[in-house]
């Protein structure tokens, strides 16, 4: 992994802005920020202890070439996708998407914080839904409930049981999913092929090894 | 002139007839106003009403007309009778519109109206029809001093309007600073790339224009005379001095750059540090190719340091923002990026100021990859083959640094104005006292003079802040304190080319207007078209020189016998001289100590038991009086015990009016005038300040009369105070009631 980081810094001659512009989704927008601070002022996670750098600062850090500080930062993982900043930015930067783009790139570079709950959910969700082309809600919730062990998992499940029963009664949750049943796409294979092709194209576009 | 025959007209239109007792108004005009002829009309400004008045003038020999209808600011086209003296009793905006239509208000409203009728009658009887300034000059040639962007634009705009222009340029070529630029900041869509500096085009237009006469390598050696008849000596290097007849003057002498040698901490003196003008030279040398340093090395990284020696709170360097340099750095960063996108360009700024469409230009630079960092630069030092710029990153809040092959300093503009008149006066005084160093200083300062005016008040137009020419920022940007002399471009405030060209166009139009007015013997703005002018009854003059010193426009010289000598066409008709004169010998035909004094006396002052106080308001006609009118239009009611008299300027208020008013039983006097001082809004620049200074002396008189200080109230009024002004009047009226009636009542 650290190899990959070295390769990238070498490829971009330590020009981290260029690296982000080409490697992170929506990264080409970073240079357009005019440092007004509206996004930081709008962000609901602003006063959260995990919130190291608001978007404005992340963008500044990128321009200042602070690669480690950005990629290791927990900040972009804190984004709740509320889109407050996105709609308010006077320069029309798609900030929410940039935050996710940078987070995703940090993950690829092996720099995502360990045990980060957003990362855990994202990964779980991705694996869950790409498997059959449809989300398996029962398994998804189970994985999330039991992420911190059996006891806490049971506690969470019990606390939510009324909601679950309601959902089942309304036909919104299929218990059979627990056993691998439930809704699925007809051509899971086709979906897997599609995703593989998409990845290949992306790697090509970004000049990454497959 | 024919014998005086007076007439008053009472209008009953606009509900005046419903709200007021017209018969009683007629009586007031006849009995108290002693008018020879008094008529009522249902709709005075109608064709029929106007015809009635015209008929009286033509067939009844009426010479003085008191129109008791609406404000003097309304219906001026209908009520245009140039051959007679006219006064206006403001019954509409000044009475019925500011009073509630109720039974209990009826009596005081009627009293107010009757007073205004009496005042209008009294005023007009003290007036004469202005005959116009006989001392006119008819030269219609425009002189433009300075051949840069502003000067060339002013010359062309003047010429295109059909006027002859004389353009004087100090150097051997037209173009000024703009000619030194490789390209200019864009001034049209899509605002994305630097544009041609435009100099060649303007020079070609000037060369092709038969109306424009250009003097190169020339300076103005002497400016004598007055608007419409200036005699200007133009000294041409290695040639005879030429004298031109000039009607009006535009000073467009531009700026020089702040001396970067004064910024050693920012790398002044280092080989790889240049100012913005220095970079323009490098860019011109590169001619679109990669930009090279003085030593021939191609620049691969460049840092721009904004606000270098500008916006300096310590006041060591320039205190102001030059306005153009942020956009200029953006433009220059593009020079690099356009030639080679791989050049690292970093702009270090504390605030990036991109007025107007420059915002698009800024965005275009970001798109091209120019990096903008909010940082305060501490110093620039030589390191290796280039420079290191130490700065504090203001977003990340940390000390850091950047290396670059070349550093560009955004230094500011220093206006090319003549000597500061106050300093010059001081040096002159010391020199007259025999101080040799001061003599030297005077010679040195005079060598900087731009216009070499032979005015008693000094050789150039007065300066305001930071050495820029005075100009009325808010209302009349190009006006200076010398009539028919206009300042355009960076000589009056920092600006970029686009703004300077706009300025130059505006100044050219104003200058043309001033020449035309001067030719017709009329005032320039703000009393544009006024035919009256001040005269002094010299038998009474004590030669105290207050008028000469106080005139904000340098209109008064001294004759051989040391009496004031008015230059009518330099005069703006503000009346400051009239207000200043301690023996009250200065007057205008239609505005004098008497026209106002008679109005003050015409008001009926009820006795101390009536519980009807009287407050005199002297309101500036430029801002306060229109604000009062607009308060009326909005039906914002105010106290019925005030009586308003418009004055040309607070500067024209003679203290006698106030002491007379208080002596004759008014309970209070309110002065309303424009803001003065650093942010002045006075239309006559210094008038309200001088007036207020004069009034501040009255408080001693009040003490002598055993009157409370609050009997005199000075209020700063802007034209926008439509809502607040009525409230302030009411507050003051309440304060007067609290104080009780003036002890002078009924004496
Ligand atoms: S709101 Fe937009 S322009 Fe402003 S700091 Fe945030 S990202 Fe930058
Ligand atoms: S979308 Fe994300 S970064 Fe933007 S305001 Fe919401 S939480 Fe903050
Ligand atoms: S225009 Fe920009 S660089 Fe120039 S003084 Fe103003 S803020 Fe500073
Ligand atoms: S003080 Fe005003 S009115 Fe008097 S001469 Fe000067 S400009 Fe004219």
């Amino acid at each position: 992994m650290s190899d990959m980081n070295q390769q990238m810094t070498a490829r971009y001659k330590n020009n981290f802005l260029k690296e982000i512009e080409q490697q992170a989704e929506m990264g080409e927008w970073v240079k357009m920020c005019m440092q007004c601070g509206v996004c930081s002022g709008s962000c609901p996670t602003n006063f959260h202890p995990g919130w190291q750098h608001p978007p404005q600062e992340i963008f500044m850090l990128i321009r200042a070439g602070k690669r480690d500080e950005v990629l290791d930062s927990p900040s972009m993982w804190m984004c709740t996708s509320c889109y407050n900043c996105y709609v308010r930015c006077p320069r029309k930067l798609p900030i929410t998407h940039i935050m996710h783009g940078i987070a995703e790139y940090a993950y690829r570079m092996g720099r995502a914080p360990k045990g980060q709950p957003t990362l855990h959910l994202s990964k779980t969700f991705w694996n869950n839904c790409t498997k059959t082309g449809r989300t398996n809600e029962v398994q998804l919730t189970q994985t999330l409930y039991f992420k911190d062990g059996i006891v806490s998992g049971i506690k969470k499940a019990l606390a939510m049981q009324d909601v679950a029963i309601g959902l089942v009664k309304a036909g919104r949750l299929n218990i059979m999913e627990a056993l691998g049943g439930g809704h699925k796409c007809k051509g899971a294979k086709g979906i897997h092929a599609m995703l593989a092709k998409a990845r290949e194209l992306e790697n090509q576009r970004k000049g990454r090894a497959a | 002139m024919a014998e005086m025959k007076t007439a008053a007209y009472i209008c009953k239109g606009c509900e005046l007839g419903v709200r007021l007792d017209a018969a009683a108004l007629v009586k007031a005009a006849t009995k108290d106003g002693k008018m020879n002829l008094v008529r009522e009309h249902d709709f005075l400004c109608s064709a029929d009403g106007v015809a009635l008045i015209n008929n009286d003038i033509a067939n009844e020999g009426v010479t003085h007309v008191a129109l008791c209808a609406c404000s003097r600011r309304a219906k001026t086209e209908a009520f245009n009778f140039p051959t007679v003296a006219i006064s206006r009793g403001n019954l509409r905006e000044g009475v019925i519109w500011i009073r509630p239509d109720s039974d209990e208000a009826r009596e005081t409203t009627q009293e107010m109206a009757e007073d205004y009728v009496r005042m209008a009658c009294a005023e007009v009887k003290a007036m004469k029809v202005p005959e116009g300034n006989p001392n006119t000059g008819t030269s219609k040639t425009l002189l433009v001093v300075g051949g840069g962007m502003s000067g060339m634009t002013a010359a062309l705009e003047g010429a295109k309007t059909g006027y002859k222009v004389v353009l004087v340029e100090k150097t051997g070529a037209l173009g000024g600073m703009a000619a030194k630029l490789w390209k200019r900041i864009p001034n049209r869509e899509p605002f994305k790339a630097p544009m041609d500096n435009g100099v060649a085009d303007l020079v070609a237009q000037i060369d092709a224009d038969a109306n424009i006469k250009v003097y190169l390598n020339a300076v103005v050696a002497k400016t004598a005379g007055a608007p419409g008849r200036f005699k200007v000596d133009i000294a041409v290097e290695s040639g005879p001095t030429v004298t031109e007849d000039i009607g009006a003057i535009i000073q467009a002498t531009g700026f020089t750059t702040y001396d970067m040698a004064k910024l050693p901490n920012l790398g002044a003196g280092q080989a790889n540090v240049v100012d913005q003008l220095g970079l323009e030279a490098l860019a011109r040398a590169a001619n679109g190719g990669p930009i090279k340093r003085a030593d021939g090395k191609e620049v691969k990284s460049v840092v721009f340091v904004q606000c270098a020696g500008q916006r300096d709170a310590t006041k060591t360097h320039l205190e102001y923002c030059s306005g153009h340099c942020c956009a200029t750095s953006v433009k220059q960063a593009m020079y690099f990026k356009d030639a080679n996108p791989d050049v690292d360009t970093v702009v270090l700024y504390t605030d990036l100021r991109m007025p107007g469409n420059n915002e698009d230009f800024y965005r275009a630079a970001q798109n091209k990859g120019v990096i903008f960092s909010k940082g305060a630069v501490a110093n620039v030092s030589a390191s290796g083959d280039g420079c290191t710029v130490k700065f504090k990153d203001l977003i990340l809040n940390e000390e850091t640094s950047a290396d670059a092959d070349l550093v560009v300093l955004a230094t500011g503009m220093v206006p090319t104005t003549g000597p500061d008149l106050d300093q010059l006066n001081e040096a002159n005084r010391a020199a007259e006292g025999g101080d040799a160093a001061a003599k030297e200083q005077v010679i040195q300062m005079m060598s900087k003079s731009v216009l070499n005016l032979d005015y008693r008040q000094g050789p150039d137009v007065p300066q305001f802040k930071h050495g820029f020419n005075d100009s009325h920022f808010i209302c009349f940007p190009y006006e200076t304190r010398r009539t028919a002399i206009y300042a355009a471009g960076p000589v009056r405030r920092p600006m970029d080319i686009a703004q300077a060209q706009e300025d130059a166009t505006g100044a050219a139009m104003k200058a043309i207007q001033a020449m035309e007015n001067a030719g017709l013997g009329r005032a320039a703005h703000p009393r544009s078209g006024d035919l009256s002018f001040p005269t002094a009854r010299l038998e009474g003059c004590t030669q105290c020189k207050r008028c000469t010193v106080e005139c904000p426009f340098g209109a008064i010289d001294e004759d051989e016998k040391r009496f004031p000598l008015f230059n009518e066409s330099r005069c703006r008709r503000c009346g400051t001289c009239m207000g200043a004169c301690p023996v009250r010998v200065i007057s205008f035909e239609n505005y004098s100590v008497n026209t106002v004094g008679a109005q003050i006396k015409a008001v009926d002052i009820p006795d101390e038991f009536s519980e009807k106080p009287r407050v005199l308001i002297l309101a500036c006609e430029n801002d306060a009086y229109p604000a009062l009118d607009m308060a009326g239009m909005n039906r914002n009611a105010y106290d019925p015990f005030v009586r308003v008299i418009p004055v040309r300027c607070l500067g024209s208020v003679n203290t006698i009016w106030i002491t007379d008013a208080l002596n004759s039983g008014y309970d209070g006097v309110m002065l309303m005038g424009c803001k003065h001082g650093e942010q002045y809004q006075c239309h006559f620049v210094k008038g309200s300040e001088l007036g207020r200074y004069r009034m501040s002396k009255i408080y001693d008189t009040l003490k002598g009369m055993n009157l409370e200080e609050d009997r005199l109230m000075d209020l700063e009024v802007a034209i926008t105070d439509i809502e607040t002004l009525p409230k302030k009047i009411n507050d003051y009226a309440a304060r007067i009631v609290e104080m009780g009636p003036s002890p002078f009542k009924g004496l």
Side-chain angles (χ1 to χ4, degrees):
Chain A
M1 275 299 183
S2 69
D3 257 27
M4 243 162 60
N5 282 290
Q6 271 161 18
Q7 273 169 24
M8 281 302 182
T9 42
R11 160 132 57 120
Y12 291 103
K13 302 201 189 71
N14 285 318
N15 187 336
F16 185 45
L17 175 62
K18 212 175 225 171
E19 181 178 343
I20 288 291
E21 281 179 347
Q22 293 185 6
Q23 294 294 327
E25 287 301 321
M26 303 278 173
E28 70 277 12
W29 278 96
V30 170
K31 60 176 180 290
M32 298 309 291
C33 164
M34 64 168 177
Q35 296 298 326
C36 68
V38 165
C39 51
S40 311
S42 314
C43 184
T45 65
N46 208 350
F47 301 103
H48 190 282
W51 191 238
Q52 211 176 30
H53 301 295
Q56 173 198 19
E57 269 179 42
I58 293 272
F59 302 156
M60 198 63 224
L61 286 164
I62 294 173
R63 294 194 209 167
K66 310 224 171 196
R67 192 173 192 275
D68 293 340
E69 206 164 334
V70 172
L71 294 183
D72 292 340
S73 169
S75 301
M76 29 316 162
W77 298 99
M78 301 300 296
C79 171
T80 62
S81 305
C82 73
Y83 283 85
N84 256 349
C85 54
Y86 190 120
V87 298
R88 287 184 186 169
C89 172
R91 275 296 176 79
K92 298 195 165 60
L93 269 74
I95 304 168
T96 317
H97 299 178
I98 307 171
M99 294 303 270
H100 297 334
I102 299 167
E104 190 260 359
Y105 184 59
Y107 167 70
R108 269 180 201 285
M109 292 288 111
R111 307 294 286 262
K114 301 279 162 287
Q116 218 293 330
T118 312
L119 173 60
H120 179 80
L121 170 66
S122 307
K123 266 191 343 201
T124 314
F125 182 85
W126 177 258
N127 292 338
N128 179 307
C129 81
T130 53
K131 205 159 142 198
T132 63
R134 288 275 166 87
T135 35
N136 181 325
E137 272 101 4
V138 177
Q139 276 181 11
L140 181 66
T141 30
Q142 269 173 5
T143 333
L144 291 177
Y145 285 176
F146 292 94
K147 140 177 158 349
D148 302 322
I150 303 253
V151 183
S152 93
I154 290 177
K155 268 193 197 147
K156 280 183 206 152
L158 285 174
M160 294 299 286
Q161 97 183 307
D162 287 352
V163 177
I165 290 170
L167 283 171
V168 173
K169 278 191 182 151
R172 293 257 152 233
L173 197 65
N174 185 349
I175 321 245
M176 294 312 287
E177 284 184 349
L179 308 168
H183 59 187
K184 287 190 179 82
C185 270
K186 277 185 194 138
K189 256 203 196 128
I191 285 180
H192 294 155
M194 239 161 65
L195 290 171
K197 187 70 190 168
R199 167 142 309 174
E200 186 192 318
L201 289 173
E202 190 192 5
N203 284 340
Q204 244 172 43
R205 178 163 55 88
K206 295 184 175 170
R208 293 176 187 154
Chain B
M1 201 184 144
E3 212 177 295
M4 174 155 114
K5 177 154 186 189
T6 57
Y9 297 86
I10 315 286
C11 178
K12 295 195 287 185
C14 291
E15 285 216 319
L16 286 165
V18 183
R19 296 279 308 274
L20 301 170
D21 175 354
L25 297 180
V26 169
K27 200 170 138 208
T30 320
K31 213 170 128 259
D32 304 330
K34 301 204 169 52
M35 302 303 268
N36 305 131
L37 190 72
V38 180
R39 296 191 198 274
E40 296 173 33
H41 195 278
D42 282 338
F43 188 7
L44 197 58
C45 63
S46 66
D48 181 59
V50 172
L52 170 79
I53 300 169
N54 271 327
N55 184 49
D56 287 348
I57 295 170
N59 302 322
E60 301 281 336
V62 167
T63 57
H64 288 65
V65 172
L67 299 172
C68 304
C70 40
S71 164
R72 60 166 62 193
R73 299 174 47 79
K75 303 288 173 198
T76 47
E77 271 160 34
F79 296 145
N80 177 22
F81 309 107
T83 56
V84 298
I86 302 171
S87 71
R88 303 278 299 258
N90 187 355
L91 305 182
R92 193 179 69 172
E93 289 85 343
V95 182
I96 62 165
W97 282 359
I98 53 98
R99 296 302 304 150
D101 185 7
S102 64
D103 284 344
E104 61 271 32
R106 214 174 162 84
E107 180 187 324
T108 51
T109 307
Q110 178 69 23
E111 285 171 4
M112 215 177 183
E114 285 173 22
D115 269 348
Y116 280 124
V117 169
R118 289 183 198 106
M119 288 157 78
C121 297
E123 182 188 11
V124 80
K125 284 191 287 182
M127 286 165 75
K128 281 205 221 53
V129 190
E131 287 178 353
N133 166 24
N135 247 331
T136 55
T138 48
S139 172
K140 298 283 157 61
T141 305
L142 185 62
L143 170 70
V144 179
V145 186
M149 267 309 188
S150 322
M152 290 194 294
T153 308
L156 278 169
E157 294 292 343
K160 276 190 220 157
T161 320
Y163 289 81
K164 292 237 175 293
V165 180
V166 170
L167 177 57
V168 174
E169 163 59 34
K170 191 170 54 176
T171 71
L174 295 176
M177 280 291 179
K180 300 186 178 165
L181 307 182
W182 165 235
K183 298 232 156 118
R184 62 173 280 191
I185 299 160
N187 70 341
R188 67 174 82 102
E189 279 291 333
F191 301 99
K192 281 194 174 141
M195 294 191 343
D196 183 89
N197 68 22
V199 170
D201 174 42
L202 288 189
V203 173
Q205 286 187 48
I206 288 175
D207 284 346
D209 198 319
N211 274 337
I212 306 176
K213 195 195 284 180
V214 180
Y215 289 96
L216 295 176
N217 294 311
V219 293
V220 173
K222 185 177 168 199
T223 305
R229 51 183 172 88
F230 288 113
K231 290 253 180 243
V232 180
D233 293 352
I234 298 165
V236 188
E237 202 182 273
S238 66
T241 295
V242 194
T243 305
E244 293 276 3
D245 288 312
I246 296 296
I249 300 172
I250 293 176
Q251 179 174 346
T253 42
F255 70 102
T256 52
T257 48
Y258 188 67
D259 183 6
M260 71 181 270
K262 292 182 185 157
L263 304 167
N265 61 320
L266 295 182
Q270 288 173 35
N272 300 321
V273 179
V274 294
D275 62 6
Q276 290 183 325
L277 212 50
L279 188 88
E280 293 293 340
L282 297 181
R284 288 172 68 82
N287 197 21
I291 294 174
K292 299 199 179 95
R293 298 194 308 210
D295 63 3
K297 183 180 183 261
E298 193 182 323
V299 178
K300 286 287 171 52
S301 56
V302 54
V303 169
F304 294 87
V305 176
Q306 295 313 105
C307 308
Q310 303 197 64
R311 302 173 66 204
D312 182 7
T314 69
K315 306 194 175 191
T316 325
H317 303 295
L318 303 181
E319 288 169 60
Y320 51 86
C321 162
S322 289
H324 76 93
C325 19
C326 280
T328 298
S329 287
V330 166
K331 175 191 76 173
Q332 298 187 335
M334 283 195 191
Y335 291 170
F336 288 96
K337 284 288 184 192
D338 289 348
N340 174 6
D342 287 334
V343 176
D344 279 332
T345 51
V346 176
V347 179
L348 295 176
Y349 66 93
T350 51
D351 312 275
L352 212 61
R353 296 185 167 174
M354 290 291 173
N357 289 304
N358 283 342
E359 193 61 29
D360 288 343
F361 193 41
Y362 171 22
R363 223 177 310 216
Q366 286 179 300
N367 251 323
K368 289 181 180 175
V370 179
I371 303 280
F372 293 86
S373 282
K374 199 169 162 80
V377 175
N379 75 49
V380 178
S381 54
S383 78
D385 183 36
C387 311
T388 298
V389 183
K390 285 215 170 64
F391 66 98
K392 179 171 185 180
D393 186 316
L394 296 171
I395 300 291
L396 304 178
N397 198 21
E398 60 181 25
E399 301 294 339
T400 175
S401 69
D403 292 329
D405 293 340
L406 186 73
V407 170
V408 184
L409 303 182
T411 58
M413 295 177 144
V414 180
T416 314
T417 43
D420 177 72
L421 298 187
D422 294 337
Q423 282 170 17
L424 181 64
N425 277 339
E426 211 165 287
N428 258 327
R429 264 194 296 276
E432 269 161 33
D435 184 336
K439 261 185 204 149
E440 197 44 50
Q441 199 194 349
V442 169
I443 294 172
Q444 203 271 329
M445 286 176 104
M446 287 302 291
S447 72
K448 274 180 48 189
S449 174
V450 175
L451 297 175
N452 285 299
L453 290 163
D454 77 342
Y455 287 20
R456 181 189 182 279
Q457 292 80 3
D460 283 280
V461 297
Q463 297 170 10
F464 190 40
K465 261 195 249 175
H466 310 308
F468 289 92
N469 278 160
D470 196 358
S471 78
H472 198 291
F473 262 62
I474 299 165
C475 310
F476 321 105
Y478 331 108
E479 294 290 342
T480 70
R481 260 184 271 156
R482 297 293 177 259
T483 304
I485 303 179
Y486 296 85
V491 75
R492 68 167 194 90
R493 73 165 176 76
M495 62 178 78
D496 64 14
I497 293 178
Q499 291 168 323
Q501 291 197 284
E502 226 169 73
D503 235 48
T505 309
M509 297 305 122
K510 291 302 290 186
I512 289 169
Q513 194 184 39
M515 291 194 285
E516 290 294 345
N517 271 328
L520 296 169
R522 293 173 169 173
H525 113 104
R527 293 194 55 81
S528 193
D530 187 357
L531 284 167
S532 72
F533 57 90
T535 50
R537 214 168 21 84
L538 295 183
E539 315 85 84
C541 169
T542 61
Q543 301 192 327
C544 71
K545 299 204 187 353
R546 288 211 200 147
C547 56
T548 334
V549 173
E550 289 200 11
C551 170
F553 301 98
I556 313 175
D557 287 328
E558 276 153 35
D559 66 12
E560 321 79 67
K561 295 189 204 127
R562 320 207 63 168
F563 281 116
L565 180 68
F566 290 88
N567 285 281
E568 294 81 4
S569 38
R570 288 190 213 160
C571 165
R572 303 286 260 277
R573 283 69 164 175
C574 63
T576 299
C577 48
M578 173 176 125
C581 182
V583 285
R584 300 182 291 282
V585 297
I586 300 177
S587 61
F588 298 78
E589 290 147 311
N590 56 3
Y591 183 60
S592 64
V593 171
N594 282 341
T595 58
V596 176
Q599 293 181 71
I600 294 174
K601 285 195 201 85
V603 170
D604 178 45
I605 308 279
D607 65 26
E608 63 264 55
F609 310 110
S610 66
E611 296 190 359
K612 283 177 180 168
R614 285 291 176 261
V615 173
L616 174 68
I617 295 183
L618 296 170
C620 157
E621 68 178 10
N622 296 297
D623 268 28
Y625 202 69
L628 286 167
D629 271 1
M630 285 190 277
M633 291 174 201
N634 288 357
R635 308 298 194 275
N636 296 335
Y638 56 76
D639 196 275
F641 300 133
V642 302
R643 299 293 179 263
V644 184
I645 300 178
V647 294
R648 290 189 178 181
C649 174
L650 269 198
S652 73
V653 172
N654 198 294
T655 49
I656 192 79
W657 294 338
I658 295 165
T659 42
D660 273 3
L662 291 172
N663 265 320
S664 62
Y666 281 86
D667 302 276
V669 177
M670 241 183 154
L671 300 172
M672 295 183 179
C674 301
K675 195 188 194 77
H676 70 276
E678 283 243 310
Q679 311 281 330
Y680 75 86
Q681 296 191 14
C682 174
H683 292 51
F684 296 105
V685 187
K686 285 275 164 197
S688 65
E689 183 172 328
L690 293 164
R692 287 200 169 105
Y693 177 75
R694 225 178 283 142
M695 296 316 138
S696 68
K697 306 276 175 209
I698 290 198
Y699 290 103
D700 288 337
T701 318
L702 292 187
K703 229 180 265 160
M705 291 164 77
N706 255 330
L707 283 176
E708 299 86 339
E709 275 199 1
D710 280 3
R711 297 268 176 208
L712 177 61
M713 157 98 166
D714 169 22
L715 202 61
E716 203 166 77
V717 177
I719 199 158
T720 46
D721 291 345
I722 304 161
E723 302 285 331
T724 49
L725 199 49
K727 188 175 171 316
K728 285 181 182 156
I729 292 175
N730 294 342
D731 288 350
Y732 184 61
R735 173 77 191 106
I736 291 293
V737 170
E738 214 173 276
M739 269 189 290
S742 155
F744 286 90
K745 258 188 217 299
L747 289 185

